[in-house]
């Protein structure tokens, strides 16, 4: 059997694949074009794509792939319904990137609130004249409230870190999450209560039709003017134009963003703002995490193509009789 890997991933994942399949890896240094993806994946049994590759019905039909092992926990780049209709197993990489993503969430919270990037630029620009009681003052964490939208694996890992910082924790989720409530004294609140009471509002939700542009100007206006918005989930859960307006008009104090509406395009107006910290979708970018993601994605593909139901199946209904 042949499989196509749409970008160079850590070697341990490739080694697993090579034990079972003929493996073709795209070696380019930017995401593969759709045209090349179609050509290279055509006739392959399985594909290991990245979140930058749109895997829709056309790709499925032209290539004839029989399994998709996405190299990410999120899978909004894949048309799940089309895969399910074609009985193509789709897998993702949950669990292994939880802590790395929660760490980056906290890095953004600290960076924007304590003005780390601004301070670094200030110092490098030779502007520092000496210690100053009023220089680069930022926000506090202890006794401040963090609002977590989406109390799944990553939301809970963020809550544990927030507890360590002495923060009050509120959250929004479809389900009551009693485990984390007990563990860190988190309180489930309504969406509006979360917007209104959070000093730090952080998003940990997948991008779906329900969450598309969940946060826009209407929601931002409900937040405290001193509050910060953090997003390490997907860019499309925010109306980015409206966030830029809110940041420019100081409707909220600032934002820390790892993900963007139209990645890798960055709205030039966002870059001009000094009350936002922006990083290039590096939530899971620790060596160990990316290696574990490669191993899990590869194992998923092996299972899917050798007649087993993969551990991390996204569309298990394809196995129902
Ligand atoms: C994911 O896995 O969905 C992240 O966005 C990248 O690791």
């Amino acid at each position: 059997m042949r499989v196509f890997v749409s970008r160079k991933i850590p070697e341990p994942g490739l080694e697993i694949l090579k034990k079972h399949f003929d493996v073709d890896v795209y070696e380019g240094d930017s995401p593969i074009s759709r045209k090349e993806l179609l050509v290279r994946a055509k006739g392959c049994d399985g594909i290991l794509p990245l979140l930058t590759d749109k895997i829709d019905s056309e790709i499925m039909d032209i290539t004839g792939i029989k399994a998709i092992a996405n190299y990410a926990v999120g899978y909004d780049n894949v048309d799940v319904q089309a895969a399910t209709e074609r009985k193509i197993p789709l897998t993702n990489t949950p669990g292994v990137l939880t802590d790395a993503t929660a760490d980056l969430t906290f890095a953004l919270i600290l960076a924007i609130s304590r003005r780390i990037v601004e301070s670094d630029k200030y110092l490098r620009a030779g502007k520092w004249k000496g210690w100053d009681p009023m220089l680069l003052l930022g926000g506090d964490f202890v006794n401040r409230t963090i609002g977590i939208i989406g109390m799944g694996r990553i939301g809970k890992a963020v809550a544990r870190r927030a507890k360590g910082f002495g923060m009050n924790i509120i959250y929004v989720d479809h389900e009551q999450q009693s485990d984390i409530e007990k563990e860190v004294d988190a309180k489930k609140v309504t969406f509006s209560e979360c917007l209104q009471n959070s000093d730090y509002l952080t998003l940990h939700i997948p991008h779906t039709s329900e969450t598309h542009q969940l946060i826009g100007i209407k929601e931002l206006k409900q937040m405290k003017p001193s509050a910060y918005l953090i997003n390490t989930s997907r860019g499309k859960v925010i109306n980015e134009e409206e966030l830029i307006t809110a940041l420019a008009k100081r409707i909220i104090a600032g934002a820390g963003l790892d993900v963007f509406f139209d990645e890798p395009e960055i709205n030039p107006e966002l870059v001009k703002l000094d009350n936002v910290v922006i990083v290039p979708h590096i939530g899971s970018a620790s060596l160990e995490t990316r290696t574990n993601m490669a191993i899990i994605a590869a194992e998923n593909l092996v299972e899917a193509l050798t007649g087993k139901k993969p551990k991390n199946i996204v569309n298990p209904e394809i196995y129902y009789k």
Side-chain angles (χ1 to χ4, degrees):
M1 277 192 271
R2 282 175 56 218
V3 299
F4 180 61
V5 181
S6 73
R7 194 76 178 271
K8 180 109 179 61
I9 59 168
E11 203 50 44
L14 292 176
E15 278 164 19
I16 293 172
L17 293 175
K18 284 175 190 164
K19 282 193 194 130
H20 296 266
F21 312 116
D22 280 344
V23 184
D24 180 21
V25 182
Y26 176 69
E27 297 278 354
D29 60 5
S30 56
I32 189 169
S33 69
R34 184 171 176 86
K35 203 167 149 209
E36 184 154 8
L37 177 65
L38 275 167
V39 173
R40 300 273 290 266
K42 193 167 177 178
C44 284
D45 296 279
I47 182 170
L48 195 151
L50 309 189
L51 56 87
T52 42
D53 308 319
K54 189 165 183 238
I55 309 295
D56 55 17
S57 56
E58 187 190 38
I59 297 267
M60 295 173 203
D61 291 340
I62 292 180
T63 61
I65 44 170
K66 300 181 194 75
I68 306 164
N70 214 36
Y71 183 73
V73 65
Y75 44 85
D76 56 334
N77 57 309
V78 181
D79 184 337
V80 183
Q81 196 186 330
T84 306
E85 280 165 9
R86 288 160 181 75
K87 298 224 176 296
I88 299 174
L90 164 66
T91 63
N92 66 342
T93 63
V96 285
L97 46 78
T98 301
D99 285 316
T101 308
D103 289 343
L104 198 267
T105 303
F106 248 86
L108 287 173
I109 290 176
L110 294 168
I112 187 64
S113 172
R114 293 301 305 271
R115 305 173 65 177
I116 303 295
V117 177
E118 221 184 317
S119 297
D120 179 279
K121 283 187 192 151
Y122 177 90
L123 195 132
R124 286 172 199 261
K127 292 183 183 166
W128 195 30
K129 304 275 181 289
W131 195 84
D132 173 349
M134 301 307 286
L135 181 65
L136 289 159
L137 305 185
D140 285 297
F141 305 102
V142 76
N143 294 330
R144 300 303 191 270
T145 297
I146 185 167
I148 301 176
I149 308 277
M151 195 54 111
R153 276 180 297 262
I154 299 172
K156 286 176 187 173
V158 169
R160 290 187 191 103
R161 284 155 179 75
K163 178 79 177 166
F165 277 84
M167 300 175 86
N168 307 316
I169 302 158
I170 57 176
Y171 74 95
V172 175
D173 198 272
H174 288 310
E175 313 282 334
Q176 190 90 30
Q177 301 291 345
S178 317
D179 54 344
I180 200 76
E181 290 188 6
K182 283 198 202 96
E183 195 182 327
V184 301
D185 199 21
K187 289 189 182 47
K188 187 169 185 289
V189 294
T190 64
F191 184 50
S192 287
E193 285 167 342
C194 201
L195 294 172
Q196 287 161 20
N197 294 308
S198 297
D199 297 297
Y200 301 87
L201 184 76
T202 180
L203 310 178
H204 301 288
I205 43 178
H207 174 237
T208 63
S209 50
E210 190 195 354
T211 61
H212 185 73
Q213 299 194 338
L214 181 73
I215 304 289
I217 197 73
K218 190 166 130 269
E219 291 70 31
L220 294 163
K221 279 186 173 161
Q222 290 183 61
M223 291 173 65
K224 298 180 187 180
S226 56
Y228 298 95
L229 175 68
I230 311 296
N231 189 14
T232 56
S233 61
R234 285 291 182 268
K236 287 189 166 59
V237 303
I238 293 179
N239 181 322
E240 206 168 80
E241 300 268 332
E242 293 182 3
L243 173 62
I244 290 168
T245 304
L247 289 169
K249 293 187 172 167
R250 305 275 160 169
I251 290 169
I252 62 168
L257 306 173
D258 179 41
V259 287
F260 304 90
F261 198 86
D262 202 13
E263 292 176 20
E265 302 302 319
I266 303 296
N267 188 317
E269 296 307 312
L270 195 58
V271 178
K272 287 184 198 157
L273 297 169
D274 61 5
N275 55 344
V276 60
V277 172
I278 46 178
V279 294
H281 204 147
I282 55 167
S284 62
S286 76
L287 181 59
E288 192 177 319
T289 299
R290 290 281 168 88
T291 303
N292 288 335
M293 286 167 68
I295 292 171
I296 288 191
E299 288 173 349
N300 285 338
L301 199 51
V302 172
E303 286 168 351
L305 287 175
T306 54
K308 299 190 189 88
K309 182 169 149 192
K311 267 190 300 297
N312 302 305
I313 185 81
V314 167
N315 53 352
E317 58 273 35
I318 66 160
Y319 291 102
Y320 304 156
K321 289 257 157 38

